[in-house]
Amino acid sequence: MTKKMKKKIMIIHGPNLNLLGTREPEIYGKMSLREINSRLRTLAGKRNVSLKIAQTNSEGSIIDLLHKAASWADGVILNPGAYTHYSWAIYDAINACGLRVIEVHLTNIHAREEFRHRSVIAPACLGQIAGFGWRSYVLALEALLEHE
Amino acid sequence: MTKKMKKKIMIIHGPNLNLLGTREPEIYGKMSLREINSRLRTLAGKRNVSLKIAQTNSEGSIIDLLHKAASWADGVILNPGAYTHYSWAIYDAINACGLRVIEVHLTNIHAREEFRHRSVIAPACLGQIAGFGWRSYVLALEALLEHE
Amino acid sequence: MTKKMKKKIMIIHGPNLNLLGTREPEIYGKMSLREINSRLRTLAGKRNVSLKIAQTNSEGSIIDLLHKAASWADGVILNPGAYTHYSWAIYDAINACGLRVIEVHLTNIHAREEFRHRSVIAPACLGQIAGFGWRSYVLALEALLEHE
Amino acid sequence: MTKKMKKKIMIIHGPNLNLLGTREPEIYGKMSLREINSRLRTLAGKRNVSLKIAQTNSEGSIIDLLHKAASWADGVILNPGAYTHYSWAIYDAINACGLRVIEVHLTNIHAREEFRHRSVIAPACLGQIAGFGWRSYVLALEALLEHE
Amino acid sequence: MTKKMKKKIMIIHGPNLNLLGTREPEIYGKMSLREINSRLRTLAGKRNVSLKIAQTNSEGSIIDLLHKAASWADGVILNPGAYTHYSWAIYDAINACGLRVIEVHLTNIHAREEFRHRSVIAPACLGQIAGFGWRSYVLALEALLEHE
Amino acid sequence: MTKKMKKKIMIIHGPNLNLLGTREPEIYGKMSLREINSRLRTLAGKRNVSLKIAQTNSEGSIIDLLHKAASWADGVILNPGAYTHYSWAIYDAINACGLRVIEVHLTNIHAREEFRHRSVIAPACLGQIAGFGWRSYVLALEALLEHE
Amino acid sequence: MTKKMKKKIMIIHGPNLNLLGTREPEIYGKMSLREINSRLRTLAGKRNVSLKIAQTNSEGSIIDLLHKAASWADGVILNPGAYTHYSWAIYDAINACGLRVIEVHLTNIHAREEFRHRSVIAPACLGQIAGFGWRSYVLALEALLEHE
Amino acid sequence: MTKKMKKKIMIIHGPNLNLLGTREPEIYGKMSLREINSRLRTLAGKRNVSLKIAQTNSEGSIIDLLHKAASWADGVILNPGAYTHYSWAIYDAINACGLRVIEVHLTNIHAREEFRHRSVIAPACLGQIAGFGWRSYVLALEALLEHE
Amino acid sequence: MTKKMKKKIMIIHGPNLNLLGTREPEIYGKMSLREINSRLRTLAGKRNVSLKIAQTNSEGSIIDLLHKAASWADGVILNPGAYTHYSWAIYDAINACGLRVIEVHLTNIHAREEFRHRSVIAPACLGQIAGFGWRSYVLALEALLEHE
Amino acid sequence: MTKKMKKKIMIIHGPNLNLLGTREPEIYGKMSLREINSRLRTLAGKRNVSLKIAQTNSEGSIIDLLHKAASWADGVILNPGAYTHYSWAIYDAINACGLRVIEVHLTNIHAREEFRHRSVIAPACLGQIAGFGWRSYVLALEALLEHE
Amino acid sequence: MTKKMKKKIMIIHGPNLNLLGTREPEIYGKMSLREINSRLRTLAGKRNVSLKIAQTNSEGSIIDLLHKAASWADGVILNPGAYTHYSWAIYDAINACGLRVIEVHLTNIHAREEFRHRSVIAPACLGQIAGFGWRSYVLALEALLEHE
Amino acid sequence: MTKKMKKKIMIIHGPNLNLLGTREPEIYGKMSLREINSRLRTLAGKRNVSLKIAQTNSEGSIIDLLHKAASWADGVILNPGAYTHYSWAIYDAINACGLRVIEVHLTNIHAREEFRHRSVIAPACLGQIAGFGWRSYVLALEALLEHE
C-alpha cells in the first residue's frame, strides 16, 4: 500500500449489524452502527483516508460489494457476522478480488459459542481482530494504513 | 404477550415453499402455499389476529423480514426451510430482534436425511413444531396465542 | 383416524415427570403433573376424546405401555424424557406397535444441553412438538385429532 | 460344557420380541414368538436339552434373568433387541455371571440402520449369529451344544 | 428428454464466476465468463439448442432461477461455486423443481481444499463433471443432449 | 447439611453389584455386597448416621429410589454401575430431586475401557470417588458428613 | 433355494486362512484348513450338498471367485478375513453376483480390536456368523440349506 | 496433448464392471461391457484415436496397467469401481506414472451410499465425470481429446 | 503399604494452585493453599504420617517431583491442575516411578467445561477424587492410609 | 482501566519468539525480537506507559509471569506461540490472575496449519489480534490503552 | 536371532516402488530400484547375509510373499507403499507368519499427507524406519542383524 | 552434511528417560541411560563424531536445548518422550532452528496405546526410527552421518 496518495478503504458490515445498540447490548454494546460509522468517518478524515461504508444482511450482497471494491479500494475491513462460520462463497470472493481484507469482530468470537470459534473466511484475510467492540474497526483501519 | 389488544403475528415461509403443492407432493403434500395462507388468514380472522405473510428464497431477506417484524409483530412463525440446518445468520437475527419465534416444519425433519436432524436456529426459538403438514402452522399460531 | 367415533388417545409421561412443579421449576414450570393431567382430561371431555394417562420412570414400562396402547388407542402422545436421546428400544416399540405417536417436550430441547438436541425416537413418530410447557400436550392432542 | 448330562439352556428374548408376527412382518417375518418358542422346545426335546425361555422389555429384567441363569444354565441364547446397541449394563451382566452367551438376531443387523451395526454386548459373548430369522435361535442352540 | 423439438437449456453460473479471467487465473484459467458464454452460445446454435444463461452471487437468486427454469427448460447446467459445499437450500430447490440438473466445476474440486471434496448438491443432480475448465460446460451440454 | 440432627443418608447400588465377591473378583475384589453393607452400617452407627441401602439392576428403579430419597435423605451415595455412561434419565433424576449425590465406583473407571471414561451422571453430582474398592463408599460417607 | 435338487455351495476362505493351525493358535485354534475342509466335505456328503472350496489371499481373486460362483452355486459361505473391514469391492461383487452369501468368522470379531467391529461386507450378505471356530462354517452350511 | 499424431488412450475398467448388463441393472443399466467397449471403439475410430481397453478385478493389476500405460498412452480413462474409495495405492500409481487420468463412473457416486461420496483417487486425476452411464466414458474421451 | 512404620506421603499441587483463595473463589473456594497445607499437616500429625508438600506451575517440575518421590514416598497425592487433560508426560512419569498416586481435584471436573471431563493421567493412578474442595486432599490421604 | 495514572503493561513473548529474525523469516519476518521490543518501548514512552517485557520457552514460566503480573500490571499482551493450541494451564492462569490479557500473533494463525486454527487460550482473553507481524503488538497496546 | 549361522533376510518392495528413479523424483529420489537392490546385495555380502528381494504391486502377493518367507527367513524388511495405511490383511499376515518384520519407508510418511500418518501395519512390526531414502533399507538391515 | 570435518551431533533425551533401566523394564528394557550414553560415546569416538548429550523432563528445556544446538550441531537426535504427541512448541522449535533432527523412540510407538500413534513433531523432522531399544539411537547416528 503506497503512502503517497489518499488511501481508499471499504468497510463492510455484515448481517444483523444494522441492529447494533438495540441488539443484545450486553453482548454487542450500546453504540449504534450510525454512531460507529460516524466515528470511523471522523478518524478517516484525520488520517486522510477515503472511506466507503456499507451494511447488508445478504451473503450475495457481501460478495457483490467485495467485487466492486476490487476496482476502487486499497483495502477492506469486513465484519462478516455469522457468515464468518460457513460462507465459503465469501472466502472465495476475497481470494477472487485480490484485495487486502481484515476480518473484524466486535466480540471475542473465540470466547463464545463453539460454532463461532472457526472462521472459514480468515484463511483468505490478512489478519483478524476480535473482541474490542467498535474499536476493532479502528484497530483494523490502523493496521491497513500501516501495512506495507 | 398481552391479551388485551389484537395480536400481530408475522409468518415467514423460507426457501422453496413457494413451490408447495407441486414440489415433491409425496413428501410435502398437495396443498399450495396460496391455499395454506388462505386457511391461516381465515383462522386469524376467527382468532382476532392481525397477520402478515411473506415468502422468500433468500437468507438475507429472511433476516430483513425478521428485523422489520421486530417493530410490529408480537410473534413470528418461521419455516426456515433448508436454512434451518446451517444459517447461523438467521439464528443471530432471531436473537437480535428479541421476538418470540416458533420454528415450524411441514415434515418431521427428525425422520428424514441426517442433515435435517439438527436445527441451528431452534436454540433461538421459543419452540419447534414439525411433522403436521400445513397444520404445523395452525398449531404454532395457537401456541403463540396461548403463550403468556 | 376416522372421525365418526370417539377418539381414543393414550398419554405417556416418561421419567422424572412425576416431579413436575417441584423439579427445577425455572426450567419445567410450576404446574404439577396432576394439574396438567386434569387440564388434559377437561380438554378431552370437550373434544369427545377418551383418554388414558400413565407415568413411569422405566424404559421397559414405556415399551409395555406402547404395546398395550396398540390394541386400544387411535394415537399416542409420548414425552419420553431423557430416554428421548438414547432409547432405541422405545424407537423400535413405536415402529412395532404401528401407532401414530407424537413426541412432546415441555422445554425446547434444541435450546438446551447438546445431548438433548438429538432424538433417536423422533424418526418413528408422526411429529415433534417442543418448548411450550404443558401446552405442548394440548397442541399434540389437537394435532392428533385433526390428522387424517 | 460337559457332554455327559442333560444340557441346560436359557433363552432370553429382549424388547419388542413379544410382538413378533405382527411387528413389521416385512422385516421380522410372520412367525409369532409363541410359535418360535414351540419349535425351539421341540428341537430341545430331540437334542435332550432342558430349556427355559423368557421375554421381557426391561433392561433391568434381562440383567436379573442373566443373574438367575448363572446358577442353573450351561449356556444362554440372548436376543437383546435394541439394547444391543447401548446397554453396557447387560454387557457387564454377561461378564459378571460368567456364562457362555450367544447373541442372536432375527435380522442381519449389519445391513440395517447405522446404529444397529455396533453391538456393545458382543464383546462379552461367545459369538454372534444374525440374519436367519427364527433359525438364528436354532443355529445358536446347535452352537452351544457343540461348543466344548 | 424428447428429441423432436429444440432443446431448452438453462445455464446458471454461481458466485464469483463473473470474475473469471481475472480471478486467480492460475487456478481458474484466463478465459472470461463472457467468452465462455459466447462459446457455449455458438455450440448451442450448432446443436439446435435454445440457451438461457445467468450469473448471480446470491444463493437465493440461484433458487429463484431454478424455479423459473422449471417451467421452461429441459435441463439445467449449474455451477454452484462454493455454495456446492453447504447450500442444502439449493439441493432442495433442485429436488423441488424436478429438472435434470448437471453440476459442473471448472476445477477438479476433489483435488483442492478438503472442504471442496463434498458436494451437498450432487445427490439431487443427474451427474457431476469437474476439472475440465470451460470445457466442463461443453461436456455437460453434450451429456444433457444425449441423455434419454 | 446441618450438623445438629442425625444425618440421613441413602446408598444406592446399581446394576450387577449384587454379584460382588463372585463377579470378576480380579477386578471388583472378593468382598460381597452384604459384607460391604455391613461395614457401612457399622461405620454409620459410629458416626451417628441413619442409613438406608438399596440395590437394583433397573435404571427406572434407581430413578424411583432417588425420588423417594428426596423426601427423606440429606445425601445420597450412588454407584450407578454401567448406567454411569449413558443414563441421561438418572442424570435428570438427580437434578430433579435436588439432593446432594456423590458418585462412587469400586474401580478406577478412568483406567478401564474407553466407554467407562465418561460419566454422564457426574455433572449432576457433588463429586466423584473412584478406584478404592469398598472404601470408595466409606470415603463418600465421610465426604457427605463433612460437606457443609 | 429349491429343495428338490442337490444344493451347490461355494466356500471361499480369504487371506491368511491357509495358515490355520499354525497361525496364532491361541486365537484361531489348532485345526488346519485342510482338516476343516475335510470335515465340511464329510458334512456336505451327508447333507447331499455339492461343495466347492477355494482359498486365496487376493482381494481381486475373491471377486473373481464370487463372479464364477454366480453361474454355478446356490449359495456362498465367505470368510473374507481382514478384507471384511475395508473391501467395498467385495461388497459390490456380492451385490453384483446376486448370490446368497453368508459371512463367517472363526473368531468373534466384535470382541477383538476396534477395527474388526465393522464389516463393510455384511450389508450385502444374508447374515453373519462369528465366534464358533471351524463350526462357524458348519452353522453357515446349515443356515444355507434351511433358508427358503 | 499435441494434436498432430494419432492419440493413444487407455481405458481401464475396474472391479465388477465385467458383470455390466446383468449386475444390478436398475443401478448400472442394461448395456454389457462388451457393448460399451464396442461403442467406444467405434467412436475412437471416428476420432482417429488408438484405443486399448482392459478390465480387471484386482487392485494390483490396475496399478500394473497404469504403469504399462505410462510408456504408451497419451491419457487414461479409469473407472476404479469401489477401489475409488480406499485405494491409496492406485492414487500413488497415477501420480507415479505421470499420465493424464480421468476418473469416470457410470452412476452419480455422490448420490449413493455415504462411502461412495469420497474419492481418494480423484486428487491425482485431471477431472471426474460421474452419472451418465456408458456415456461417462464418451464424455471422458472427448475431454481427453480436447484438453491441451 | 505396610502399616508398621510411619507412612511417607508426598503431596504435589500443580499449576495455578498457588493462587487459591484469590483465584476465582466462586469456583475454587476462599481457602488459601497455605491454609490447606496447614490443615493437611495437622491431620498428618494425628495420623502419624510424614508429609512433604510442593507446588509448581511447571509440567517438567511435576515430573521431577514424582521421580524424587519414588525413592522416598509410600504414596503421592497429585492435583495436576489443567495438565490433567493433556500431559501424557506426567502419565508416563507416574507409570515410570511405580508409586501409588491418587489424583485429586478441588472441583468436580466432570461438571465443568467439556475439556475437563477427560483425564489422561487417571489411567496411571490408583483412583480419582474430585469435587470436595480442600477435603478432596483429606479423603485422598485417608484412602492412601487405608489402602493395602 | 482508569486513565489518570501511568498505565502498566506486561508483554510476554512465548516459545521460539527469541529466534525472530532468523526463524523462518518468510513466515515470521526479518525483524529481531530485540528490535520489536525496542519499538514497543519507544511507543510506550510516547504513550506514557510503563512496560515490562519477558520471553520464555517454558509453559510453566509463562504461568509464573502471569501470576507476577497480577500484582503489578493493568494489562497483559501475550503471544503464547504454539502453547496457544493446547495449554489449558495458561488458560487457567489467565482466568486465575484476573488480568486483562490480549492474545497476539505475528502471523494469521487462522490461515496456517489446521492445528493453529483453534486457540484454547482465547476464551480467557479480552480479544485476539493476529496477522500483522510486529504491528500486532502495537495494535494490542493501543487496544489496551483505549479499553475502558 | 542367533548369530552363528548366515542370516536369511527377505526384502519386500510394495506397490509403485518398481518406478523408483522416474516416479516423482523430487519426493522419492533419483535412484532406481535396481540400483537400491544392488547396493543392498553388496551390503548383504559384506555382512554375511543371505538376501531375497521381491517387488509386487499386489496386496495379495505381499501376503503370499510373507507366508513363504515364514519358512525361510530370519527377518523381513517390508516397504508396504500405500498399503501401509489400510491393509489390515497384511497386518494379519505379519502376525500370522510370526516373523520379525521391520516397516521401512523412503520418505518421512509422518511429514506428508494426513492419510500417510497412520500405519495399520506397524502394530504388527518390530519397528518402523522412515525418511532416509534408500538408506532406510540399510538401517533396517542393520537393525535386524543386531536385534537379539 | 559435509564429510571433511568432525561431525557435531546433539542427543536430547526427553521426559522420564532418566529412569531407564528401572522404569517399566518389560517395556523399555533394562539398560540405564548412563549405559546407553556410554555406548553412544564409544560409537561416536569410532566414527569421529563430537557428541553432546542432555536429558530433561521439561518441554521448555527441550526447546532451549534445540535453540542452543542450532549454533553448534550438524544434527540432532531427539527422543521427545510423551511430548511427541502434543508438543507443537517443540515442533515449532525444530522448524525454527533449521537443524536436521531425527526423532527416535526406544519402543515401537505405533504398536502401543492409541495416543502414541501420532507424532506432532515428526513433520518437522528428517525421519523417524522407532522400536529398536537403545539401538534406535545408534541407527539414528548412522543415518545422520550418512545423510548428504
Side-chain angles (χ1 to χ4, degrees), chain G residues 65-78:
Chain G
L65 286 165
L66 286 164
H67 289 187
K68 280 173 200 153
S71 60
W72 174 79
D74 296 304
V76 174
I77 297 170
L78 171 64

Side-chain angles (χ1 to χ4, degrees), chain G residues 59 64 67 89 91-93, chain H residues 16 18 57 86 113 115-116:
Chain G
E59 186 181 13
D64 291 341
H67 289 187
Y91 164 80
D92 273 2
Chain H
N16 297 304
N18 51 319
N57 292 323
Y86 58 101
E113 302 101 310
F115 79 84
R116 294 198 208 268

Side-chain angles (χ1 to χ4, degrees), chain A residues 15-16 18-19 22-24 28 57-59 81-83 85-86 113 115-116, chain B residues 58-61 63-64 67 86-97:
Chain A
N16 298 304
N18 52 319
L19 297 190
T22 61
R23 172 197 185 192
E24 300 173 283
Y28 295 100
N57 292 322
S58 155
E59 185 181 14
Y83 291 134
H85 312 300
Y86 58 100
E113 303 101 311
F115 79 84
R116 295 200 207 267
Chain B
S58 155
E59 185 181 13
S61 300
I63 297 169
D64 291 343
H67 289 187
Y86 58 101
S87 178
W88 294 110
I90 294 177
Y91 164 81
D92 273 4
I94 297 172
N95 282 326
C97 71

Side-chain angles (χ1 to χ4, degrees), chain H residues 59-60 63-64 67 86-89 91-93 95-96, chain K residues 16 18-19 23-24 57-59 82-83 86 113 115-116:
Chain H
E59 185 181 14
I63 297 169
D64 291 341
H67 289 188
Y86 58 101
S87 180
W88 294 110
Y91 164 80
D92 273 2
N95 282 327
Chain K
N16 297 305
N18 52 320
L19 296 191
R23 173 196 184 191
E24 300 174 281
N57 293 322
S58 155
E59 185 181 13
Y83 291 134
Y86 57 101
E113 302 100 312
F115 79 83
R116 294 197 208 269

Side-chain angles (χ1 to χ4, degrees), chain G residues 75-124:
Chain G
V76 174
I77 297 170
L78 171 64
N79 182 340
Y83 291 134
T84 302
H85 313 301
Y86 57 102
S87 179
W88 294 110
I90 294 178
Y91 164 80
D92 273 2
I94 296 172
N95 282 326
C97 71
L99 282 167
R100 281 179 177 162
V101 177
I102 296 181
E103 179 187 335
V104 297
H105 297 279
L106 297 161
T107 61
N108 182 356
I109 55 173
H110 307 291
R112 297 178 65 196
E113 302 101 312
E114 181 69 24
F115 78 84
R116 295 198 208 268
H117 294 193
R118 189 181 70 135
S119 166
V120 304
I121 283 166

Side-chain angles (χ1 to χ4, degrees), chain G:
Chain G
M1 199 176 281
T2 57
K3 293 194 170 185
K4 322 172 198 176
M5 311 194 317
K6 202 170 184 176
K7 290 284 171 51
K8 283 167 285 183
I9 290 177
M10 178 88 201
I11 296 180
I12 304 176
H13 302 291
N16 298 304
L17 290 164
N18 51 320
L19 297 191
L20 275 183
T22 60
R23 172 196 184 191
E24 300 173 282
E26 72 287 0
I27 298 178
Y28 295 100
K30 294 179 183 168
M31 200 180 291
S32 71
L33 190 61
R34 180 188 296 262
E35 193 170 341
I36 291 176
N37 288 343
S38 167
R39 293 192 182 202
L40 290 169
R41 285 207 182 84
T42 302
L43 177 64
K46 287 184 190 162
R47 301 294 304 256
N48 193 30
V49 168
S50 184
L51 208 65
K52 279 190 191 169
I53 304 182
Q55 190 274 333
T56 176
N57 293 322
S58 155
E59 186 181 13
S61 300
I62 291 176
I63 298 169
D64 291 341
L65 286 165
L66 286 164
H67 289 187
K68 280 173 200 153
S71 60
W72 174 79
D74 296 304
V76 174
I77 297 170
L78 171 64
N79 182 340
Y83 291 134
T84 302
H85 313 301
Y86 57 102
S87 179
W88 294 110
I90 294 178
Y91 164 80
D92 273 2
I94 296 172
N95 282 326
C97 71
L99 282 167
R100 281 179 177 162
V101 177
I102 296 181
E103 179 187 335
V104 297
H105 297 279
L106 297 161
T107 61
N108 182 356
I109 55 173
H110 307 291
R112 297 178 65 196
E113 302 101 312
E114 181 69 24
F115 78 84
R116 295 198 208 268
H117 294 193
R118 189 181 70 135
S119 166
V120 304
I121 283 166
C125 293
L126 188 63
Q128 190 194 64
I129 297 172
F132 307 101
W134 68 275
R135 285 190 184 90
S136 290
Y137 290 94
V138 175
L139 294 169
L141 196 57
E142 293 296 339
L144 271 182
L145 292 178
E146 296 303 325
H147 198 86
E148 289 150 27

Side-chain angles (χ1 to χ4, degrees), chain L residues 37-108:
Chain L
N37 288 342
S38 167
R39 292 194 181 200
L40 290 169
R41 285 206 182 86
T42 303
L43 178 63
K46 285 184 190 161
R47 299 295 303 256
N48 194 31
V49 167
S50 183
L51 209 63
K52 280 190 190 168
I53 305 182
Q55 191 275 333
T56 177
N57 292 323
S58 155
E59 185 181 13
S61 299
I62 292 176
I63 297 169
D64 291 342
L65 287 165
L66 286 164
H67 289 187
K68 280 174 202 155
S71 61
W72 173 80
D74 296 304
V76 173
I77 297 171
L78 171 64
N79 182 339
Y83 292 133
T84 301
H85 313 299
Y86 58 100
S87 179
W88 294 110
I90 295 178
Y91 163 80
D92 273 2
I94 297 172
N95 282 327
C97 71
L99 281 168
R100 282 180 175 160
V101 177
I102 296 181
E103 179 187 336
V104 298
H105 298 279
L106 297 160
T107 62
N108 181 356

Side-chain angles (χ1 to χ4, degrees), chain B residues 51-142:
Chain B
L51 208 63
K52 281 191 190 166
I53 304 183
Q55 191 276 333
T56 175
N57 293 322
S58 155
E59 185 181 13
S61 300
I62 292 176
I63 297 169
D64 291 343
L65 287 165
L66 286 164
H67 289 187
K68 280 173 201 153
S71 60
W72 174 80
D74 295 306
V76 174
I77 296 171
L78 171 64
N79 181 340
Y83 292 133
T84 302
H85 312 300
Y86 58 101
S87 178
W88 294 110
I90 294 177
Y91 164 81
D92 273 4
I94 297 172
N95 282 326
C97 71
L99 283 167
R100 282 181 175 159
V101 177
I102 296 182
E103 178 188 336
V104 298
H105 298 280
L106 298 160
T107 62
N108 182 356
I109 55 173
H110 307 291
R112 298 179 64 197
E113 302 100 310
E114 181 68 25
F115 79 84
R116 295 199 207 266
H117 293 193
R118 189 181 71 134
S119 166
V120 305
I121 284 165
C125 294
L126 188 65
Q128 189 195 63
I129 296 173
F132 308 100
W134 68 277
R135 285 191 184 89
S136 291
Y137 291 95
V138 175
L139 295 169
L141 197 57
E142 293 295 339

